[in-house]
Amino acid sequence: MSEFRLTQISDAHLGRRFPGLIANFQALSEHIDTDRPDLVVNTGDVSFDGPTSRDDVEFAKGLHDALPVACRYIPGNHDIGDNPTAIGPAPKPPVAEAHRQQFREIIGEDHWSFEAAGWCFLGLNSLVMNSGLAFEAEQFDWLASEVSRTNGKPVALFVHKPVFLNGPDDPETPETSIRYVPQPARARLIEMFAHVDLRLIASGHVHQRRDFTWRHTRHVWAPSAGFKINDARQDRIAIKEVGLVEYRFQPDGFEVRHVRAAGQVDIDIEELLAQMGGAH
């Protein structure tokens, strides 16, 4: 295969009770049906609230099953719970093995690897990092084995949370501690890729579209497929809009295209909170 076309979607937050999010996903689905990539990767928050609603997870999987191409998934905090962090408030709810197993049962594997077009593709469950769960150590062991087999091939890594804002040594703050892969797991993750040709880290979670390069690695933040978060609730780092990201991988490089599907609407989080009765 000389070219591999991959579409990244993220943060769809699907649940039966949110017709606007469903409509945005249907617009995205129609775009994918027209474009027909080789693979769709959902980088997490597939469901609106997996830890408290199994139905959200089942409903989200049903909508993804209707897509015309194969999908791979990694979980987000709305699917399995959030990372504990050294500073800042405790996660609500914290990541739990029971929720991870529910994700695997309904959605699919929460970490994976494959090769295409001369590239190694890796998907990681970033929510277990810094959790102390048994699977955290198991995944790091698995990753070490996978990294040792890249044999000089370029690597694309998919995670829910961005690894950092601007650089590996960014300080954690109480306000942003849940936004990025937490320390000390972040430092360990970065070190594991130190001698690998890591060309791309693709993430979601922040609901902002961003694209920058740190050293030789391009960092692409996919926007939410479902809704945006207004500036009163979240500081603006990049572009706040709904959409998706399209990639073309060739043995000697890759291309990135930032896309907004026809018919997608920039739903504000306030509309969803109103539907929930103001709960936050």
Side-chain angles (χ1 to χ4, degrees), residues 12-267:
H13 291 273
L14 293 165
R16 299 180 196 277
R17 60 204 181 279
F18 300 107
L21 302 185
I22 297 169
N24 268 345
F25 189 82
Q26 289 172 337
L28 179 150
S29 300
E30 291 172 5
H31 177 87
I32 291 172
D33 188 29
T34 299
D35 188 59
R36 295 294 175 109
D38 297 301
L39 180 71
V40 170
V41 171
N42 188 317
T43 46
D45 286 356
V46 183
S47 60
F48 192 85
D49 194 357
T52 65
S53 175
R54 182 184 177 91
D55 183 70
D56 280 2
V57 185
E58 292 174 338
F59 178 71
K61 183 58 161 61
L63 290 180
H64 283 77
D65 283 346
L67 291 172
V69 298
C71 296
R72 287 182 183 261
Y73 310 85
I74 50 177
N77 51 298
H78 280 254
D79 300 314
I80 66 171
D82 211 344
N83 311 72
T85 57
I87 60 175
K92 296 180 181 180
V95 61
E97 179 62 20
H99 300 146
R100 187 179 82 87
Q101 292 297 343
Q102 175 181 265
F103 182 92
R104 294 178 69 242
E105 174 192 348
I106 299 171
I107 299 291
E109 288 299 330
D110 63 341
H111 66 297
W112 37 261
S113 68
F114 66 92
E115 294 186 5
W119 283 68
C120 297
F121 295 86
L122 293 167
L124 291 180
N125 180 340
S126 63
L127 279 308
V128 298
M129 295 179 186
N130 212 42
S131 69
L133 294 176
F135 177 68
E136 179 183 9
E138 292 171 16
Q139 180 175 237
F140 271 127
D141 288 344
W142 172 86
L143 178 60
S145 176
E146 293 297 320
V147 165
S148 72
R149 294 200 294 265
T150 58
N151 296 320
K153 294 184 180 72
V155 176
L157 173 65
F158 292 82
V159 286
H160 178 60
K161 290 187 174 183
V163 179
F164 49 71
L165 174 61
N166 294 314
D169 297 326
D170 287 347
E172 289 186 314
T173 69
E175 295 77 20
T176 65
S177 59
I178 63 170
R179 188 174 291 168
Y180 310 103
V181 174
Q183 297 284 20
R186 179 200 305 173
R188 182 178 181 186
L189 180 64
I190 291 169
E191 175 59 29
M192 293 182 76
F193 285 97
H195 303 293
V196 172
D197 186 12
L198 181 61
R199 302 273 189 94
L200 169 69
I201 299 179
S203 61
H205 184 56
V206 186
H207 290 235
Q208 298 192 42
R209 187 192 294 283
R210 190 174 184 223
D211 190 334
F212 71 100
T213 298
W214 189 83
R215 294 189 175 172
H216 70 286
T217 303
R218 191 165 176 179
H219 295 250
V220 175
W221 297 9
S224 169
F227 67 93
K228 65 178 186 177
I229 304 173
N230 59 65
D231 292 352
R233 289 189 176 271
Q234 179 202 54
D235 54 312
R236 182 179 291 270
I237 302 168
I239 300 169
K240 294 188 174 185
E241 65 178 12
V242 297
L244 61 151
V245 186
E246 296 175 342
Y247 303 86
R248 289 178 182 266
F249 294 92
Q250 301 94 15
D252 59 347
F254 70 107
E255 301 172 7
V256 180
R257 181 169 176 251
H258 294 278
V259 182
R260 179 185 176 92
Q264 282 193 296
V265 176
D266 286 330
I267 297 170

